[in-house]
């Protein structure tokens, strides 16, 4: 099981990448649990998030300075290749010496690189489940990644729905496992 933040981030990106490579040609338009997103929209979103990391973490740019550079379609004709390049650049940016201790100026204010990395890792874990559901793949997530994401999401789960990041939390059934609890916190029923 990965134990450092960088290992968790790498594991989440690898898992999402496995699902991206499993998307069949006729599945890109399929619906996902993210009710307004198709499989392509979802992959585009997560790929776009990775594209933001180098300018924000490595270059120290602000959201305003990056602007709309990653708006619209970032996947082009090669969605899996676009994902792979974005994920590799994101991994490299966070792995730079001192990157996790840098202040990153996000849309909601300054945060340490490690907080940004943890947030994006948890987001990637949840969206891996969404993508799995969208393409009919196995939606069981690795326990270590689920526990990491659950710990990351719990403190601000109520605000995620208010900020439009996820659906409203659902009631968690008694005795639910970690994956069911995580999914419920982000408005998904497993």
């Amino acid at each position: 099981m990965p134990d450092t933040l960088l290992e968790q981030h790498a594991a989440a990106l690898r898992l999402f990448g496995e699902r991206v490579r499993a998307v069949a040609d006729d599945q890109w338009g399929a619906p996902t649990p993210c009710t307004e997103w198709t499989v392509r929209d979802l992959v585009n979103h997560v790929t776009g998030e990775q594209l933001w990391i180098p300018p924000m973490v490595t270059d120290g740019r602000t959201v305003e300075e990056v602007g709309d550079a990653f708006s619209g379609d970032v996947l082009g004709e090669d969605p899996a290749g676009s994902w792979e390049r974005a994920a590799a650049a994101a991994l490299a940016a966070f792995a730079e010496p001192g990157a996790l201790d840098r202040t990153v100026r996000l849309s909601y204010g300054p945060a340490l690189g490690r907080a940004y990395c943890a947030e994006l890792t948890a987001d990637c874990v949840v969206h891996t489940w969404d993508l799995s559901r969208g393409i009919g793949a196995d939606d069981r997530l690795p326990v270590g990644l689920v526990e990491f994401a659950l710990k990351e999401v719990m403190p601000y789960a109520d605000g995620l729905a208010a900020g439009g990041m996820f659906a409203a939390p659902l009631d968690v059934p008694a005795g639910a496992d970690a994956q069911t609890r995580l999914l419920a916190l982000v408005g998904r029923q497993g």
Side-chain angles (χ1 to χ4, degrees):
M1 178 178 107
D3 56 359
T4 71
L5 176 55
L6 291 177
E7 289 170 337
Q8 293 284 3
H9 181 244
L13 294 183
R14 271 193 310 276
L15 186 63
F16 191 80
E18 289 170 9
R19 297 305 189 276
V20 170
R21 288 185 299 280
V23 177
D25 289 342
D26 64 348
Q27 291 180 313
W28 289 103
T32 69
C34 303
T35 55
E36 297 178 14
W37 286 345
T38 64
V39 165
R40 185 178 177 94
D41 296 331
L42 175 65
V43 173
N44 191 68
H45 165 74
V46 180
T47 302
E49 286 185 327
Q50 305 318 305
L51 291 172
W52 277 88
I53 295 168
M56 301 290 287
V57 174
T58 303
D59 302 339
R61 295 171 67 191
T62 65
V63 170
E64 294 77 22
E65 290 169 338
V66 176
D68 63 359
F70 306 119
S71 296
D73 178 29
V74 298
L75 298 178
E77 297 297 317
D78 181 17
S82 296
W83 162 257
E84 294 298 331
R85 288 185 294 279
L91 285 169
F94 278 131
E96 288 179 2
L100 297 180
D101 296 319
R102 288 185 196 134
T103 297
V104 182
R105 295 170 294 182
L106 304 171
S107 60
Y108 54 81
L112 285 178
R114 72 181 61 258
Y116 185 38
C117 184
E119 175 187 322
L120 291 179
T121 301
D123 189 68
C124 190
V125 171
V126 172
H127 285 319
T128 297
W129 182 85
D130 294 329
L131 182 54
S132 298
R133 281 288 175 106
I135 65 171
D138 181 6
D139 65 7
R140 290 303 308 170
L141 301 168
V143 173
L145 284 174
V146 168
E147 289 173 352
F148 175 89
L150 185 59
K151 183 178 174 184
E152 176 64 21
V153 168
M154 283 180 69
Y156 54 89
D158 292 335
L160 293 175
M165 290 180 70
F166 290 108
L170 304 174
D171 291 331
V172 179
D177 65 11
Q179 181 167 317
T180 302
R181 290 193 319 270
L182 172 64
L183 295 172
L185 282 175
V186 294
R188 288 154 173 81
Q189 191 159 6

